[in-house]
Amino acid sequence: MTDRWVLSRAGILNVYQYGDETLTFAGGRLLLRGVNGSGKSTAMNMLLPFLLDADTRRIDAAGEQTGVLRSWMLSGRTEQQPVGYLWVEFERGDEHLVFGCGIRANRSTETVGTWWFVTPQRPGIDFSLVERRVPLSVCGLRSVIGPTAVYTKDQRQAYRSEVRSRLFGGADLDQHLRLLHVVRSPRVGDRIDSELTSYLDEALPQLSDAAIDDAAQPLEDLEEHRRSVAALSITAEALDSLAAIYRSYICADLRRRATEALALVRSVRERQHAERRARQAVTAAEAELAERRQRVSTLEADIQRSSAELDGLRSRPAYLEGQALEDLRGRVATLASTIASATAAVTEREARCETGQRETDSARTTFETDGATLTATLSDLRGLCETAGVSAGPPDAPALMMHDVDGVSAPSAPLDIDATRVAFSRLTTTIALRRSDVDTMRTALMRVGEAERALRAAESDCSRAETDVEAADAAVGAARDTLNAS
């Protein structure tokens, strides 16, 4: 939490057997490991809660030793007036706050003096507690961090107030500190059943009757809440089922409407294209109509002018005389044309006779060849009809009656093909009916195949639905078991 102060670092400088040691906390926690007698408990006694309450009489966890500071500073040393520092650092976001204690011992008088400091500056980073390998005196510390940040031995109460104000918002910590001294005692387990409970009760703040009532009211309402939860669970299941059904309906309706909308869009686009084409055709037709009307107007003007000129010519004598001469010339031309036509007709008749003789010979040969081909084709067709199960068969090849005319063999009568046409018409109708039966059978086979595929798809959907129903039943049973368990 960024709104709370958390232990960040701690330091021991020239106290006990420590030279200049900095301890780093991880998330406000510190683990010290070592053999017995290595100084783990001593390090903890030096820092907490000593640097919070500034009580030199309760440094020892057991509360039995006296002169602890003097022992730390003078035992095993040769200096006459050694100086040491203890400090602890807290952090909150980007803010830092350091609380510490300076200690100076005098070997000749066997006395120990202390001073205390509070600063946002960080030892070893923003300032140093050592100058030329010698720890700072109280005056040297004031010159580094400021005179108002340092508290003398007689100002310990002001130091405690500053600690509580900075770290705990001015709250009273006496009960908690007393509890901390109790639980850190090595013999706290000796009377844990008889005394520890009373210590914990004393450390807790007294609860008001209103607070007790407020805490008891939720317990009284618990059964009502459980019934409400059960009813809400049933309602939620019903709403979920309704939502699933309605969601399926909405999806189907949306798909249907989307399909209709797409069809309408396609229809509109097709009609727009048709309208554009129609407009283009109308524009082209109007242009052509205007052009034709202009042409008609021009021709009408030419007709009127030509009619006027012709009326003028007809009223002249020369036109009348020329008209009579023109009639004679027309008659002569007509006679000459008649003679030429008769001569050309005779020549043409002779040529036609020769051509007709050749065509007759060629036609006789073609008739004989085609007759043989037709007979073979009709025989094959008759076999195919029998194979296909067609009741009607093809007719026989028509016969042509011949007789001699002036030594030339010629047909005595036109070839009668009406009966053949009737027979072929009957055969065509029968084949069409047979083809319709075949198409009907193919359609029926296709429908049978589609029905089989639909049946397989329906069986697959049914199997999946049964699986989903079993899964849903299992989920409902699990939910019912969970609800009953709650």
Side-chain angles (χ1 to χ4, degrees), residues 10-11 14 25 29 57 59-60 72 77 155-156 187 193 206 208 216 239 246 253 263 265 305 339 456-457 470:
N14 199 32
F25 291 79
R29 294 173 173 83
R57 297 168 301 176
I59 297 177
D60 178 26
W72 286 349
R77 295 176 181 269
Q155 296 174 322
R156 283 186 296 179
R187 292 187 298 275
D193 295 334
Q206 296 298 322
S208 64
L239 291 176
Y246 191 68
D253 188 64
V265 169
R305 186 176 61 256
I339 294 171
R456 287 194 293 271
E470 293 175 356

Side-chain angles (χ1 to χ4, degrees), residues 110-253:
E110 293 290 326
T111 58
V112 176
T114 57
W115 59 92
W116 311 83
F117 63 92
V118 179
T119 177
Q121 302 182 55
R122 308 178 66 186
I125 297 177
D126 300 326
F127 73 98
S128 176
L129 292 171
V130 178
E131 184 177 1
R132 297 179 183 177
R133 298 185 178 181
V134 178
L136 295 174
S137 64
V138 62
C139 296
L141 182 63
R142 285 194 179 101
S143 65
V144 172
I145 64 176
T148 60
V150 180
Y151 301 82
T152 63
K153 180 178 181 180
D154 298 335
Q155 296 174 322
R156 283 186 296 179
Q157 187 61 37
Y159 170 78
R160 295 191 191 99
S161 299
E162 187 69 15
V163 171
R164 295 173 183 177
S165 176
R166 294 287 190 95
L167 285 182
F168 307 104
D172 186 7
L173 302 178
D174 291 339
Q175 291 179 332
H176 303 287
L177 291 175
R178 284 198 300 270
L179 178 62
L180 184 59
H181 285 298
V182 170
V183 298
R184 66 194 287 262
S185 173
R187 292 187 298 275
V188 66
D190 297 343
R191 301 181 301 275
I192 191 170
D193 295 334
S194 60
E195 298 181 1
L196 183 59
T197 304
S198 62
Y199 288 128
L200 294 176
D201 291 339
E202 292 175 1
L204 295 174
Q206 296 298 322
L207 295 176
S208 64
D209 293 338
I212 295 175
D213 293 339
D214 292 340
Q217 187 62 37
L219 297 177
E220 295 176 358
D221 296 339
L222 181 59
E223 186 63 29
E224 183 65 26
H225 290 330
R226 286 179 177 174
R227 289 194 295 269
S228 300
V229 168
L232 289 175
S233 299
I234 296 173
T235 304
E237 291 178 0
L239 291 176
D240 290 340
S241 301
L242 178 61
I245 295 173
Y246 191 68
R247 187 182 299 109
S248 177
Y249 166 75
I250 288 297
C251 292
D253 188 64

Side-chain angles (χ1 to χ4, degrees), residues 303-316 319:
I303 290 173
Q304 291 178 358
R305 186 176 61 256
S306 299
S307 298
E309 292 177 356
L310 182 58
D311 293 340
L313 290 173
R314 288 177 178 175
S315 62
R316 295 180 181 180
Y319 174 76

